Amino acid sequence: MDQATFNKKYVDFCAPFVKGLQKIYSTMLHSEIKPLKPEMRQSGNDLHGDYSAVMGMNGRYHEGANAWPFRGSLLISWPEASYLKIASAMVGVEYTEYCEEIADVGSEICNMTMGSAKTVLVEIGYRIEMSIPTAITGKNHQLKAQKDVSTIMLPFECSLGNFFIDISFAFNDV
């Protein structure tokens, strides 16, 4: 697969995640999110978060008689103030500090986003196996881009607080 074809497939792959996340914020958190300027991330180009959720995936992309194995991940990360606001909106109780009651909020949003995206991706030829979301907590933890995988970081603006997602994607033979 040439680079131009890969680039188009990558854009087509990313769009359902953004749309799914917008739907989740709108319906579950009663808030709108606005994507800002995306940035390609390279290995060694580290980001920092306070509360993050990551979910790996792999599978095959089918197009006509051709099929290509792929791998990727979805990572969503929130600063502490944003995480507390989304947890409060989701649970219906105001939280001013992190506690076990809201430990899974980020993972749930990640899981719902992946599920929404998977529905669309299956329709365009992807057969996806997903992992269980993993929560990462800790003030200013380091988030590294995967080596040999294309990763786009997309920041979002929201009244509940800004946050970002990383969508990683690679065909195993590219």
Side-chain angles (χ1 to χ4, degrees):
M1 178 179 301
D2 64 30
Q3 191 62 45
T5 303
F6 171 80
N7 291 345
K8 176 166 182 1
K9 297 293 182 205
Y10 189 26
V11 170
D12 293 345
F13 183 80
C14 291
F17 292 95
V18 174
K19 289 178 182 170
L21 194 55
Q22 287 173 318
K23 183 178 178 183
I24 290 161
Y25 263 75
S26 177
T27 58
M28 298 204 64
L29 304 173
H30 309 290
S31 185
E32 300 303 316
I33 61 174
K34 176 185 170 190
L36 302 174
K37 183 180 179 187
E39 172 185 316
M40 287 301 294
R41 293 211 316 128
Q42 305 298 323
S43 184
N45 180 8
D46 299 336
L47 296 173
H48 299 276
D50 295 329
Y51 299 94
S52 302
V54 64
M55 212 170 162
M57 68 188 110
N58 61 45
R60 295 183 76 74
Y61 171 69
H62 297 265
E63 184 175 65
N66 299 316
W68 295 274
F70 75 91
R71 59 190 157 93
S73 65
L74 169 66
L75 178 138
I76 310 174
S77 189
W78 299 266
E80 182 175 28
S82 299
Y83 190 82
L84 293 173
K85 286 181 183 177
I86 64 154
S88 296
M90 195 159 180
V91 177
V93 175
E94 185 174 350
Y95 291 94
T96 57
E97 60 184 40
Y98 180 83
C99 63
E100 284 303 310
E101 291 175 13
I102 60 172
D104 291 335
V105 167
S107 293
E108 284 298 320
I109 291 173
C110 187
N111 194 40
M112 289 184 288
T113 302
M114 181 70 78
S116 178
K118 182 179 178 182
T119 300
V120 174
L121 292 169
V122 164
E123 292 175 5
I124 61 173
Y126 289 90
R127 301 300 174 255
I128 301 172
E129 296 176 19
M130 307 174 305
S131 68
I132 296 171
T134 300
I136 306 162
T137 61
K139 197 76 165 156
N140 208 27
H141 58 261
Q142 194 172 50
L143 305 165
K144 295 184 176 286
Q146 295 180 49
K147 187 177 179 182
D148 300 325
V149 175
S150 296
T151 302
I152 289 180
M153 187 277 296
L154 181 59
F156 286 89
E157 191 175 71
C158 178
S159 63
L160 296 175
N162 295 354
F163 64 99
F164 67 87
I165 65 173
D166 264 17
I167 303 171
S168 298
F169 179 76
F171 284 113
N172 292 342
D173 62 344
V174 175

